[in-house]
């Protein structure tokens, strides 16, 4: 099962849903989604992998029930971007989801569970979409270019490169080959190349999430027997090097890629605050998973078992991912405030 926090690390985001929170018609032409288990809406269902969530109790609060999504996100107006690997006919104009649970920035991340789509492979599929699928829907390349330039591209990736790679020294050598700062730079360099590639294909409005405070998720608090309400700060420190470099990268690319806007979603500090001050956000439990998991609360949900009766009171759904309420908090903040999604909120971004 994917070790991606909140349904993608505290990633409190089903940022898939933010665009249409308060409006009666779509605010942008399309939403294109890339990343890991926070955003995977079913691509892994057709891949030979153990990293799937196409069984109860995943999808407990989703109107269509379990769909393969690790996050219970839903759109209100724009159709939920379908998984790319589930499309057999004409591609929809309202967006696609390329995210793949367990995978990350580095190609080897996630392979211990079977096949998944690394970020590079997701971009290859997007390139195929742009070059071979979408052009048939437009009268000219100029129309296609405008469609892409006005659309939103959302990314959440990198956490699995730590959870299932760097922080697993018995499985991978990266922990021995790189110190934390060098490993973070390795990820950032690869990520920079990917962002420049998607820009060349037409993306202009990009949102990228920080990695959440991984040291606060049940997988690590139970592993290190951390006191309730506290986090394993050594793990958080390791992740912080990536987030610091990510801030710098997004600013640099916005300056160098003409017409681009790369937005940072500051979920790390938000996630940390939620976990250490749960009552401030209306949670009664920010330490224990809502579902019954493997590994005594530190892993994925055990299939078919009933979850807790009050998921809205829990911040964590399983050992890695948060519940829908966490996603809603982050989505609302990103839509409305430039302090959280910086330098532009989604509301501002769609006007540019």
């Amino acid at each position: 099962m994917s070790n991606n926090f909140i349904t993608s690390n505290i990633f409190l985001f089903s940022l898939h849903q933010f665009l249409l929170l308060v409006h009666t018609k779509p605010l942008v032409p399309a939403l294109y989604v890339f990343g890991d288990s926070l955003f995977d809406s079913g691509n892994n269902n057709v891949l030979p992998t153990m990293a799937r969530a196409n069984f109860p109790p995943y999808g407990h609060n989703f109107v269509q029930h379990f769909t393969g999504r690790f996050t219970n996100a839903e759109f209100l107006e724009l159709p939920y971007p379908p998984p790319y690997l589930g499309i057999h006919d004409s591609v929809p104009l309202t967006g696609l989801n390329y995210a793949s649970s367990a995978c990350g920035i580095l190609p080897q991340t996630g392979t211990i569970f079977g096949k998944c789509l690394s970020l590079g492979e997701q971009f290859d599929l997007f390139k195929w979409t742009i070059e071979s699928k979408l052009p048939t829907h437009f009268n000219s390349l100029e129309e296609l270019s405008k469609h892409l330039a006005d659309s939103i591209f959302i990314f959440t990736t990198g956490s699995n490169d730590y959870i299932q790679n760097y922080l697993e020294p018995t499985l991978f050598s990266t922990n021995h080959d790189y110190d934390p700062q060098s490993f973070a730079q390795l990820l950032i360099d690869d990520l920079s190349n990917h962002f420049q590639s998607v820009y060349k294909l037409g993306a202009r409005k990009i949102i990228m999430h920080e990695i959440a405070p991984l040291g606060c998720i049940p997988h690590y608090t139970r592993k290190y027997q951390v006191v309730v309400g506290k986090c394993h700060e050594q793990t958080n420190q390791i992740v912080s090097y990536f987030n610091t470099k990510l801030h710098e990268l997004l600013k640099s690319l916005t300056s160098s890629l003409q017409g681009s806007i790369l937005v940072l979603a500051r979920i790390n500090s938000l996630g940390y605050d939620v976990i250490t001050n749960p009552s401030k956000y209306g949670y009664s439990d920010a330490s224990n998973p809502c579902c019954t998991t493997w590994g005594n609360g530190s892993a994925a949900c055990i299939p078919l078992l009933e979850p807790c009766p009050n998921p809205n009171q829990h911040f964590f759904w399983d050992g890695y991912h948060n519940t829908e309420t966490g996603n809603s908090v982050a989505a609302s903040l990103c839509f409305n405030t430039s302090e959280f999604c910086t330098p532009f909120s989604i509301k501002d971004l769609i006007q540019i």
Side-chain angles (χ1 to χ4, degrees):
M1 188 59 61
S2 171
N3 298 16
N4 241 76
F5 183 11
I6 125 173
T7 167
S8 178
N9 288 332
I10 217 182
F11 267 12
L12 313 159
F13 269 52
S14 158
L15 224 15
H16 304 45
Q17 70 187 54
F18 60 51
L19 290 178
L20 317 311
L21 287 177
V22 295
H23 295 267
T24 58
K25 65 179 181 179
L27 299 177
V28 296
L31 181 63
Y32 294 97
V33 180
F34 303 83
D36 45 38
S37 60
L38 173 60
F39 289 167
D40 185 354
S41 61
N43 284 312
N44 276 30
N45 291 352
V46 298
L47 295 175
T49 177
M50 295 185 292
R52 297 178 181 177
N54 58 340
F55 56 84
Y58 289 102
H60 181 73
N61 293 332
F62 183 50
V63 65
Q64 297 178 11
H65 304 295
F66 54 95
T67 63
R69 296 182 315 158
F70 284 77
T71 306
N72 297 338
E74 61 182 298
F75 279 90
L76 302 182
E77 297 298 336
L78 256 185
Y80 192 91
Y84 175 86
L85 295 182
I87 296 297
H88 303 294
D89 300 314
S90 176
V91 297
L93 291 179
T94 50
L96 282 167
N97 187 326
Y98 300 87
S100 180
S101 301
C103 261
I105 299 170
L106 301 180
Q108 68 266 36
T109 296
T111 55
I112 58 173
F113 295 104
K115 173 62 181 175
C116 61
L117 303 175
S118 68
L119 192 59
E121 290 174 309
Q122 292 176 39
F123 282 140
D124 288 341
L125 293 176
F126 176 67
K127 181 179 181 180
W128 173 255
T129 302
I130 299 303
E131 295 179 348
S132 303
K133 300 292 185 179
L134 281 182
T136 61
H137 294 279
F138 296 91
N139 294 322
S140 66
L141 290 180
E142 288 72 20
E143 284 189 9
L144 173 58
S145 295
K146 179 170 174 51
H147 169 85
L148 295 172
D150 291 341
S151 296
I152 299 291
F153 293 74
I154 304 179
F155 297 81
T156 176
T157 188
S159 59
N160 280 331
D161 293 295
Y162 285 93
I163 299 175
Q164 297 181 28
N165 191 327
Y166 192 73
L167 299 177
E168 290 289 344
T170 61
L171 299 176
F172 295 97
S173 65
T174 49
N175 188 278
H176 304 290
D177 297 337
Y178 300 92
D179 61 32
Q181 295 93 329
S182 299
F183 183 71
Q185 190 62 53
L186 174 70
L187 297 180
I188 289 296
D189 289 344
D190 275 11
L191 190 61
S192 177
N193 291 333
H194 290 316
F195 280 147
Q196 292 178 68
S197 294
V198 77
Y199 171 83
K200 291 177 181 177
L201 291 172
R204 293 296 181 268
K205 300 178 180 180
I206 296 171
I207 300 171
M208 172 66 188
H209 301 70
E210 293 175 320
I211 295 179
L214 299 184
C216 301
I217 66 175
H219 179 70
Y220 287 114
T221 58
R222 300 202 174 201
K223 176 180 180 179
Y224 295 108
Q225 299 181 341
V226 176
V227 176
V228 171
K230 302 296 182 180
C231 304
H232 187 250
E233 298 302 343
Q234 182 178 351
T235 299
N236 284 342
Q237 179 61 46
I238 291 173
V239 171
S240 72
Y241 297 119
F242 175 88
N243 287 335
T244 298
K245 294 176 183 294
L246 177 63
H247 298 193
E248 299 167 355
L249 172 66
L250 299 186
K251 290 180 180 178
S252 175
L253 291 179
T254 297
S255 297
S256 62
L257 301 178
Q258 184 177 5
S260 70
I261 302 174
L262 286 85
V263 172
L264 175 72
R266 296 179 177 274
I267 66 167
N268 188 280
S269 58
L270 174 63
Y272 191 88
D273 194 37
V274 171
I275 293 167
T276 55
N277 300 287
S279 60
K280 176 181 175 181
Y281 297 86
Y283 294 106
S284 60
D285 191 328
S287 301
N288 301 298
C290 174
C291 75
T292 302
T293 81
W294 304 104
N296 189 32
S298 66
C301 299
I302 298 175
L304 305 179
L305 295 184
E306 284 291 320
C308 65
N310 56 340
N312 289 342
Q313 294 295 311
H314 281 251
F315 181 66
F316 288 105
W317 179 253
D318 60 15
Y320 308 105
H321 307 98
N322 65 275
T323 55
E324 171 65 11
T325 52
N327 298 330
S328 297
V329 169
S332 178
L333 286 172
C334 191
F335 187 85
N336 291 294
T337 69
S338 58
E339 289 77 18
F340 182 71
C341 275
T342 184
F344 298 103
S345 69
I346 302 304
K347 187 183 295 185
D348 295 331
L349 189 61
I350 60 180
Q351 301 297 327
I352 298 174

